[in-house]
Amino acid sequence: MPLSEHEQRMLEQMERALYAEDPKFASALEGSGLRTYTRRRVYQAVAGFLVGIALLMAGMVAQLIWVSVVGFLVMLGCAVLAVTGWRKAPKPGEQPAGAVRRPARPKRSMMDRIEERWQRRRDEQGH
């Protein structure tokens, strides 16, 4: 289902704000960068799961119940992260959802944008 015009504008504003706030993170989420980012998160979750197993075993050997419980919770949390990360990862050659490339708009002056917003508000209130 395509986004409405208002939703498209809101999405573009959020994208611009993300790029302005943290360009490195935003570029990591683009295209194949998203696949790499997600794959890295899954690998980190698997490593955390293995650490959880080690904690669980160490707690059992040392007979410290609280260490075993922490190990189990780490395992559980990492398993959830791995499964959700794996589901969200785009397939190779697939574009992630919401990554539809729009043609670049010509640069407009600030006054043009203000006038356009003013006109939109007048139209919305008038109808």
Side-chain angles (χ1 to χ4, degrees), residues 107-117:
K107 292 280 185 183
R108 297 178 300 169
S109 72
M110 186 170 134
M111 286 305 293
D112 289 339
R113 290 191 307 260
I114 291 172
E115 286 178 21
E116 181 182 332
R117 288 179 187 160

Side-chain angles (χ1 to χ4, degrees), residues 32-78:
S32 63
L34 177 61
R35 186 172 44 248
T36 305
Y37 175 78
T38 307
R39 188 177 297 141
R40 187 179 321 130
R41 296 287 279 192
V42 169
Y43 291 149
Q44 289 171 348
V46 169
F49 187 83
L50 295 175
V51 168
I53 289 175
L55 284 172
L56 180 72
M57 299 300 268
M60 292 174 75
V61 169
Q63 294 184 348
L64 296 171
I65 300 292
W66 67 272
V67 174
S68 295
V69 170
V70 169
F72 177 76
L73 292 175
V74 168
M75 287 172 51
L76 183 64
C78 289

